[in-house]
Amino acid sequence: MKHNIIIKIGLLFMVIISVYACSDFLERDPMGVMDEDSYYTTDDAAMELLTNCYGTMLAGFPYAINRVAEGSESVDDADGGGSDAGDRPQVADVGTGKPETSNSLLLETWDNRYEGIGRCNSALEAFSAEGTTFVSGGNEVSEETISRYISEVKFLRAWYYFDLVTVFKEVPLIVSTLDASERVAKAGAEDIRTQLYDDLDAAINDDNLPRASELTDEELGRVSKDAAYVLKARIALYFAGLMSQGKMEGDATTEYKLAKSAAAEVINTGGLSLLDDYQELYRGDYETGTQSSECIFTVLTTYKGDIGMSTDAFAIMNVGRNNVGGWGGNCPTKDLASEFEVGDPRKIFTIISHGDIFPTLAGGEEYHDYSGYYNDFNLQQSRKAYVPQAHREDGNLLKSKWSPYWIRYSEVLLIYAEATLEIGGTNSEVAEYINMVRHRAFVTTSKKDEEAIYRKFEEDLFPIDELTFTSQYAVTTSDDLLEAIKHERRMELALEGLRLYDLIRWGDYATTMQAFYQKYGFADKGISASENSWPFPIPQTEIDASNGVLVQNSNY
């Protein structure tokens, strides 16, 4: 079994200090300062350049919390939660469907992802600089290793850009380092699409980038060829959706074919598979899941006390308040809970209810009391974010092995099913791939949360054998297969930051959010949702700083 590692982050670029005075003393080169060319010749500089590109994803609030806030909490899967109605109002503002141009959640996305893109551009230029020789352990780093690093960085640049595209649609396309004074206008969706595919195809076609199944114990958390294939498929579904809605020029069928082909590569040649039990993904130790053949891309956040590194703040932010000790974010909605079918055990591994009980380290009971604060409307918290006390050091929520799943194999199966359906494939093949995910859920997943003492939602669960699954739960060729896929994606991937992406590409955002507001009316979520809600506004501070180069989206 692979062992958790944390990718070493913390590279500080040292650049030469400009000298403005003319005395002999000031004209001397400052001691202890190194220019970039000299830095690149230091030991392990290449690995530090690479890990610095991953580092943006370890930013806590600006990345993991932000990504799920936009992707899940701004829509019908979850609410932002918190201590009161004034806690993180930027999440509720996006949830209304008409966020302010000053919204800090959107600004956080913009700043964080462009920081990542900037790091990637700097690294790519360094790796490609003529005459630069990198060393590690006193030995020259091979061309093959540098080629792999370049592929990883290109994947990460595409990853950060796609986060921006999902929120803002069209953004400045920057693929080289810029002077501080330079400003760049928005690129068209087609230009961004081309760049994303160029970066991912370069990674996919690099023989030095390993498959996920080939990563060594020490490489867990790094980009693989399979991650590049899946991101390409995810992007293709997005652009296909925009094309189908007339929001972008192009042939949607071609995009769906790209999505199917990329997903097929992972399914047929990746050597990956689903865990038998969905519980193993979210038990609390996060080792079984992240080290399994189902996890394609994660960012490891294991607590390391010896270097002063805590788990991502996600692990405390999105856990219940009161005696549970969390900050009460990421509250699953009643709407999400109601969509789970009776008998689907994924519900207990997605949502914790007020009144559920988990054991304490001291052998007592941790009663989950969600009453008396802002989100006692839903009285639910995320099980996917919750780490039971047995899997934390000293019971501390910031001292655990919580890690996110940014790409899982189950999504690949559902991408394949959807793309096959959209290009006119057989209903039997589409149903087969949907049922691979459903079979794991209904038949082989545990009907009991083995980390808990009492779970309310367990009361509706019962064993389902093969015959019962086939006759009562399996999707059939006569079903509405697109609706089946939409349902399955919501149940399987709930609270993992993909719901906004799905609603936008399906063209379902406005109707879904309007219906949500009419049904619940909580926190004004969906009150202003319309066909003009998305793309969300570019942060006004960026517009102001561009001196007229950057133009606000026309719907804001």
Side-chain angles (χ1 to χ4, degrees), residues 110-397:
W110 186 280
D111 287 347
N112 174 268
R113 306 316 189 270
Y114 271 116
E115 179 183 347
I117 290 165
R119 294 183 183 191
C120 291
N121 289 338
S122 295
L124 290 172
E125 289 177 3
F127 289 142
S128 303
E130 187 175 349
T132 300
T133 299
F134 292 95
V135 295
S136 178
N139 299 313
E140 183 176 342
V141 179
S142 69
E143 291 182 5
E144 291 79 9
T145 297
I146 296 299
S147 178
R148 176 184 177 181
Y149 291 176
I150 289 172
S151 293
E152 290 180 68
V153 174
K154 286 186 174 181
F155 169 93
L156 292 171
R157 181 166 68 180
W159 181 268
Y160 295 136
Y161 260 120
F162 191 54
D163 275 358
L164 290 170
V165 168
T166 302
V167 176
F168 304 108
K169 186 183 178 183
E170 296 180 341
V171 296
L173 184 58
I174 304 169
V175 293
S176 61
T177 55
L178 302 177
D179 292 335
S181 61
E182 289 185 74
R183 297 292 182 266
V184 180
K186 288 188 294 185
E190 178 56 37
D191 291 336
I192 297 173
R193 170 185 171 275
T194 298
Q195 182 61 50
L196 293 176
Y197 286 157
D198 283 349
D199 276 348
L200 292 173
D201 285 341
I204 288 168
N205 294 325
D206 182 5
D207 291 338
N208 301 296
L209 185 66
R211 303 303 294 258
S213 60
E214 297 169 344
L215 294 176
T216 67
D217 293 352
E218 292 74 25
E219 294 172 329
L220 182 62
R222 289 176 63 176
V223 171
S224 68
K225 200 179 296 287
D226 296 281
Y229 275 125
V230 183
L231 181 56
K232 183 177 181 180
R234 191 185 280 178
I235 291 170
L237 286 187
Y238 166 85
F239 284 121
L242 296 192
M243 291 172 185
S244 297
Q245 298 169 55
K247 295 181 178 179
M248 177 180 172
E249 296 293 326
D251 179 16
T253 299
T254 299
E255 296 299 306
Y256 284 123
K257 287 180 179 178
L258 279 177
K260 179 176 180 178
S261 176
E265 284 290 339
V266 177
I267 293 168
N268 296 331
T269 66
L272 304 176
S273 61
L274 298 175
L275 283 168
D276 287 339
D277 191 343
Y278 193 79
Q279 173 171 214
E280 296 304 325
L281 292 164
Y282 305 105
R283 180 183 290 278
D285 60 14
Y286 281 83
E287 286 186 326
T288 303
T290 57
Q291 296 173 15
S292 74
S293 59
E294 179 165 354
C295 181
I296 298 175
F297 189 50
T298 183
V299 176
L300 298 174
T301 62
T302 304
Y303 170 69
K304 293 287 184 180
D306 56 339
I307 59 174
M309 183 174 286
S310 296
T311 303
D312 194 299
F314 195 99
I316 191 170
M317 174 67 196
N318 296 318
V319 171
R321 298 179 69 86
N322 298 339
N323 62 303
V324 184
W327 298 340
N330 194 220
C331 300
T333 61
K334 294 177 180 179
D335 190 72
L336 175 65
S338 69
E339 188 163 330
F340 283 96
E341 298 158 75
V342 174
D344 187 344
R346 287 176 296 190
K347 187 174 185 178
I348 65 171
F349 302 117
T350 301
I351 303 171
I352 301 178
S353 303
H354 170 73
D356 284 350
I357 304 171
F358 287 79
T360 66
L361 280 177
E365 295 185 349
E366 178 186 77
Y367 178 88
H368 281 238
D369 179 5
Y370 301 153
S371 63
Y373 70 96
Y374 171 51
N375 212 319
D376 59 6
F377 176 78
N378 291 307
L379 290 174
Q380 298 177 149
Q381 292 286 165
S382 169
R383 177 64 178 91
K384 291 183 174 182
Y386 175 70
V387 178
Q389 288 193 27
H391 300 292
R392 312 175 215 155
E393 188 169 319
D394 303 322
N396 192 325
L397 283 163

Side-chain angles (χ1 to χ4, degrees), residues 8 48 120 528:
K8 297 175 183 176
E48 290 176 345
C120 291
S528 301

Side-chain angles (χ1 to χ4, degrees), residues 531-553:
E531 295 297 334
N532 291 320
S533 291
W534 184 88
F536 293 133
I538 292 172
Q540 189 61 42
T541 54
E542 298 299 316
I543 302 291
D544 295 341
S546 74
N547 297 321
V549 174
L550 192 58
V551 178
Q552 185 59 268
N553 290 331

Side-chain angles (χ1 to χ4, degrees), residues 31-52:
M31 297 180 63
V33 177
M34 185 183 299
D35 63 23
E36 289 185 6
D37 291 339
S38 299
Y39 169 74
Y40 296 150
T41 64
T42 62
D43 204 52
D44 283 333
M47 175 56 77
E48 290 176 345
L49 281 166
L50 172 65
T51 56
N52 195 49

